[in-house]
């Protein structure tokens, strides 16, 4: 296989450095010149892999969104009660967040300023809708409490999950599985010990 | 009482317009000139109330922090089991968030770039520590499950609560009390309907 570009940076390697820079300085403030400096490459070497900065952003957001959508397409999201499937989806979303922390962080900062960003937000909304539908199904089958609006449930659940990007640091005491257990314990089973 | 400044804007009125501008354009991008334009005042009229833009920010953050700290000092946060007191604090935090949405939004965007911001972050951490201590007390008394690290519990709870600023719009179908009920229902009692 022909490896393009300078040794040490394939397309994914450039993407990783670019995403870190976007998260640190902001997308707008990160020029292709800044990226080239961080990579120790010429701008034309980057253009060999990506046609524009916008395309780098698009690829990065696609990676985060594709991973989240992938969770909904896993077998565990298709078998069992709707509550069990939601359990699987919440765990999967935490796992994606931890494993792809910089990519999900970038996704969560998108505000819809460009076409690429607006398409990413539309995909994110479609993902949220599928989760909301799962919550509605679980409420209808009687496995989840039905006294809370399904959209509020979905927002609170992903508010909790997404907030993890604010404080989670790889290599800390909480690994992805432990954190997924914690989130599911709070969200589905609650913190309170039943009194009776 | 002597009312200073142009009719229609007392100090609190200027603060409100300034906070809205900080949230819309960012603190750095909002100059005193921009504020004066939004208010229809001269810059010197603003300086009559505030010595600097930094002081406006300080006052705005103080309002959000003071309200949150106030919840911890309410009677309901001092009586009953630690779980009941936590219940009270979570409801109070949601109420503050809804009632002071622009101020809490501003607080949550603070990154510690100036002394004012760093002092605000230190106060916020002190608040979080008091909540974490309450969670620890509830775990010790056996009213809250103790298989999750207390700091992770506090972060997940306030991750969920703080995320409300992202989507809550005043006048929507969810009022503060309803939303507080929803948050407590998810966090303390869980969404899952017990199967046995």
């Amino acid at each position: 296989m022909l490896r393009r570009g300078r040794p040490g940076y394939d397309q994914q390697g450039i993407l990783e450095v670019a995403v870190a820079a976007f998260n640190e300085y902001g997308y707008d403030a990160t020029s292709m010149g800044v990226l080239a400096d961080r990579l120790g490459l010429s701008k034309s070497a980057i253009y060999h892999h990506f046609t524009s900065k916008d395309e780098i952003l698009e690829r990065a957001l696609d990676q985060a969104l594709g991973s989240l959508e992938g969770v909904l397409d896993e077998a565990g999201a298709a078998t069992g009660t709707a509550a069990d499937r939601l359990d699987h989806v919440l765990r999967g979303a935490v796992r994606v967040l931890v494993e792809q922390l910089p990519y999900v962080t970038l996704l969560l900062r998108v505000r819809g300023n460009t076409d690429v960003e607006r398409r990413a937000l539309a995909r994110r909304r479609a993902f949220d809708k599928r989760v909301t539908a799962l919550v509605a199904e679980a409420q209808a089958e009687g496995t989840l409490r039905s006294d809370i609006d399904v959209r509020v449930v979905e927002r609170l659940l992903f508010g909790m999950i997404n907030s993890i990007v604010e404080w989670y640091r790889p290599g800390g005491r909480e690994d992805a599985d432990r954190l997924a257990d914690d989130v599911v314990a709070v969200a589905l089973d609650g913190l309170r010990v039943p009194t009776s």
Side-chain angles (χ1 to χ4, degrees), chain A residues 27-144:
Chain A
Y27 175 73
D28 288 336
T30 309
S31 66
M32 285 296 253
V34 167
L35 281 186
D37 281 352
R38 296 258 292 210
L39 288 157
L41 293 178
S42 64
K43 283 204 266 184
S44 67
I46 303 179
Y47 284 120
H48 196 68
H49 291 287
F50 297 97
T51 57
S52 63
K53 197 175 77 161
D54 226 32
E55 196 196 334
I56 301 179
L57 179 64
E58 188 166 27
R59 274 288 306 274
L61 297 175
D62 177 63
Q63 187 168 319
L65 286 161
S67 301
L68 285 169
E69 290 159 356
V71 171
L72 283 174
D73 297 327
E74 287 168 0
T79 45
T81 66
D84 288 342
R85 283 178 277 146
L86 181 64
D87 181 315
H88 179 90
V89 169
L90 297 180
R91 284 177 200 276
V94 173
R95 197 186 62 233
V96 167
L97 183 143
V98 167
E99 287 172 1
Q100 312 228 17
L101 193 61
Y103 295 85
V104 177
T105 301
L106 188 65
L107 175 64
L108 292 175
R109 292 188 185 168
V110 158
R111 287 292 168 265
N113 298 325
T114 63
D115 278 346
V116 165
E117 292 195 1
R118 281 186 285 275
R119 279 198 299 272
L121 287 181
R123 264 175 84 178
R124 175 73 215 211
R125 277 194 300 273
F127 173 86
D128 289 337
K129 269 196 148 174
R130 289 176 68 185
V131 177
T132 305
L134 194 51
V135 172
E137 205 185 324
Q139 287 191 350
E141 77 183 8
T143 50
L144 285 198

Side-chain angles (χ1 to χ4, degrees), chain A residues 124-169:
Chain A
R124 175 73 215 211
R125 277 194 300 273
F127 173 86
D128 289 337
K129 269 196 148 174
R130 289 176 68 185
V131 177
T132 305
L134 194 51
V135 172
E137 205 185 324
Q139 287 191 350
E141 77 183 8
T143 50
L144 285 198
R145 59 190 300 157
S146 56
D147 56 343
I148 313 179
D149 182 279
V150 288
R151 275 162 302 181
V152 173
V153 169
E154 198 274 337
R155 281 165 166 160
L156 292 177
L157 291 176
F158 274 87
M160 179 162 61
I161 291 173
N162 293 337
S163 73
I164 294 170
V165 303
E166 302 292 334
W167 58 270
Y168 185 82
R169 293 297 164 267

Side-chain angles (χ1 to χ4, degrees), chain A residues 172-183:
Chain A
R173 292 173 311 147
E174 301 279 323
D175 66 13
D177 287 340
R178 179 64 208 262
L179 201 49
D181 285 344
D182 293 349
V183 165

